[in-house]
Amino acid sequence: MTQNLKPGLYIIATPIGNLGDISWRAARILEQVDVIAAEDTRVTAKLLRHLGLKKPMLAYHDHNAELVRPALLTRIAQGAVALVSDAGTPLISDPGYKLVRDTRAAGHQVITIPGPCAAVAALSVAGLPTDRFLFAGFLPNRAGARATAIAELAAVEATLVFYESAPRLVAMLDALRAELGDREAVVARELTKIHEEVVPGRLSDLIAHFTTRPPKGEIVVIVAPDDETPVLSDSEIDTALREALHSLSPAQAAAQVARNTGVNRKSLYARALALKA
Ligand code: SAM
């Protein structure tokens, strides 16, 4: 039975690598809940072992959520249920939002036990503007959908935060450079782990770096807002575009000038069409 904990759903952030990052409160609540809903019970079992705890667990992940949620809501009505993901804060690129929504709609309490989150950890060491940021999570895998998703973000005047896997990093950085220009960025890898690495640079620098040193592990990519890139006058942009248009189509010229100057490709394309006409 619950010891001193009121019934409800406890959203518990867990470490993103270093198990020492579990908060004192998270450990106490994990000790007291009746059951833990975990994204992968094997991963959470490791954390529980580290804390010296044994607890009933059930799996709650993208593939069984619809099936498991009704039974979970019944348990939440009667006792204290924890939701944890494999790492970091549940619901942040992880399952849980429908469970939170339905728990509250059913009149039960949802309590947060905040803690590690890879996006926030990366922002805290990136050295890029943090007054305004947009968390974009994982981009689509397919090149076309990825380019469209990035193009939609081009006009956003905020630092952009992405999650990415190591094998896709270079292709993703390439796509970012093509759509956003050669902005300042940071790759934050394996945060809080032995091989933690924070690599700053223009997107082109990062492409070169990770092409020669293929990365491993877990990665956050942070891209500075557009005005971090050098500002060119309209006539300088026109000169660059005119030169490129000697040998390239408007689309190719816009892409080339975007790469070289960091100016947004879409606006360059419109200008290239006008110059060509
Ligand atoms: N809910 C988690 C959070 O709060 O950060 C994120 C879960 S998402 C499924 C996993 C992604 O987060 C990884 O693919 C990687 O992009 C990022 N990530 C998780 N741990 C990380 C770490 N230690 N260093 C860098 N990125 C990490």
Side-chain angles (χ1 to χ4, degrees):
M1 271 308 292
T2 309
Q3 302 159 13
N4 303 322
L5 278 188
K6 43 191 185 198
L9 176 63
Y10 292 76
I11 305 296
I12 305 188
T14 57
I16 56 169
N18 188 326
L19 293 183
D21 289 336
I22 189 84
S23 75
W24 187 87
R25 183 167 171 239
R28 292 288 74 75
I29 302 250
L30 283 171
E31 188 178 8
Q32 292 173 57
V33 290
D34 296 304
V35 63
I36 300 171
E39 190 186 2
D40 182 336
T41 54
R42 290 163 305 181
V43 174
T44 301
K46 267 192 215 158
L47 176 66
L48 293 181
R49 269 201 300 282
H50 172 76
L51 297 172
L53 300 176
K54 266 200 168 162
K55 277 281 155 184
M57 281 193 277
L58 56 87
Y60 184 79
H61 47 66
D62 284 340
H63 306 294
N64 74 354
E66 299 301 319
L67 213 65
V68 171
R69 202 176 309 122
L72 212 43
L73 286 168
T74 306
R75 298 197 71 156
I76 291 167
Q78 298 161 352
V81 175
L83 176 70
V84 298
S85 51
D86 289 353
T89 302
L91 279 80
I92 307 302
S93 289
D94 268 336
Y97 99 85
K98 288 182 181 165
L99 184 62
V100 168
R101 180 194 63 189
D102 293 357
T103 300
R104 192 166 290 114
H108 309 309
Q109 301 226 38
V110 182
I111 299 115
T112 181
I113 291 79
C117 172
V120 174
L123 277 167
S124 75
V125 289
L128 294 176
T130 48
D131 51 331
R132 202 157 183 257
F133 63 85
L134 185 143
F135 175 66
F138 289 97
L139 286 166
N141 283 340
R142 298 179 60 159
R146 183 174 55 202
T148 306
I150 300 171
E152 283 168 8
L153 296 170
V156 173
E157 288 175 16
T159 293
L160 305 174
V161 184
F162 302 93
Y163 285 164
E164 191 49 280
S165 75
R168 286 201 298 261
L169 177 67
V170 171
M172 181 250 201
L173 294 172
D174 256 327
L176 287 172
R177 188 182 56 171
E179 299 301 326
L180 304 177
D182 200 10
R183 292 194 194 180
E184 287 288 345
V186 162
V187 171
R189 196 176 70 81
E190 294 287 89
L191 294 172
T192 78
K193 304 186 201 176
I194 294 169
H195 299 293
E196 173 166 340
E197 175 184 47
V198 177
V199 187
R202 296 252 162 217
L203 286 165
S204 54
D205 303 326
L206 296 173
I207 292 165
H209 178 96
F210 288 105
T211 302
T212 51
R213 300 174 199 78
K216 286 188 182 152
E218 301 196 278
I219 289 170
V220 181
V221 176
I222 307 207
V223 181
D226 205 12
D227 55 15
E228 288 291 294
T229 54
V231 179
L232 292 182
S233 70
D234 287 350
S235 72
E236 283 171 319
I237 288 172
D238 281 0
T239 305
L241 278 174
R242 277 205 185 87
E243 244 165 56
L245 282 167
H246 283 315
S247 54
L248 299 173
S249 71
Q252 290 166 329
Q256 186 189 78
V257 176
R259 264 199 307 280
N260 295 341
T261 63
V263 176
N264 177 269
R265 192 173 61 99
K266 259 192 182 166
S267 59
L268 286 172
Y269 179 57
R271 186 66 194 146
L273 287 177
L275 289 174
K276 188 94 182 167

